[in-house]
Each structure stands twice: as structure tokens, then as C-alpha cells.
């Protein structure tokens, strides 16, 4: 199982709620999390997920992600 990490501009729990449907669709429910305590708001994704699909899904909700 692959682990991907992304720096995001997701800032709060309301932001997480907004991106949840898109991330659940791309990565699967329970396969991702956002560390809101980290200043870079790190999104960690487990599994076989396409980096480009994930970034595109987040952009569709108004958020950015860059792989770290």
C-alpha cells in the first residue's frame, strides 16, 4: 500500500467537510486524513491513488494540493 503526502490549503474542519465527498470518491472513505495541527495542513492518503486525480478532485472543490 502506497502512502502519499500533500501540502494543502485546507484550514479547518469546515474545509475538511467540503472536500470529504471528493476525497472519498478518489481515495475511498477512511483512506485519507488532513492534519489540521500541522502548519502545512498535510493530507495523507493511503492506497493506490493517482496523484493527478487527487489534485484535480481537490481543485474542483476550491482547494490546492502539492505533493511532498
Amino acid at each position: 500500500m502506497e502512502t502519499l503526502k500533500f501540502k494543502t490549503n485546507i484550514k479547518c474542519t469546515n474545509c475538511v467537510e467540503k472536500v470529504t465527498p471528493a476525497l472519498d470518491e478518489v481515495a475511498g472513505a477512511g483512506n485519507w486524513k488532513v492534519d489540521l495541527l500541522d502548519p502545512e495542513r498535510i493530507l495523507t492518503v493511503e492506497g493506490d491513488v493517482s496523484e493527478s486525480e487527487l489534485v484535480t478532485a481537490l481543485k474542483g472543490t476550491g482547494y490546492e494540493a502539492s505533493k511532498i
Side-chain angles (χ1 to χ4, degrees):
M1 181 181 296
E2 187 176 2
T3 300
L4 300 174
K5 291 188 182 257
F6 299 85
K7 178 181 174 184
T8 70
N9 63 342
I10 297 170
K11 293 181 169 68
C12 63
T13 56
N14 288 333
C15 298
V16 172
E17 287 179 24
K18 186 174 177 184
V19 301
T20 293
L23 290 176
D24 282 353
E25 184 176 325
V26 173
N31 293 329
W32 61 272
K33 65 180 176 180
V34 178
D35 184 353
L36 296 176
L37 299 177
D38 187 302
E40 298 196 337
R41 307 299 197 246
I42 303 300
L43 166 65
T44 303
V45 182
E46 301 281 338
D48 297 324
V49 179
S50 163
E51 177 184 343
S52 61
E53 284 180 23
L54 190 127
V55 170
T56 300
L58 277 179
K59 280 186 181 180
T61 62
Y63 294 92
E64 300 290 324
S66 56
K67 190 172 179 193
I68 56 173

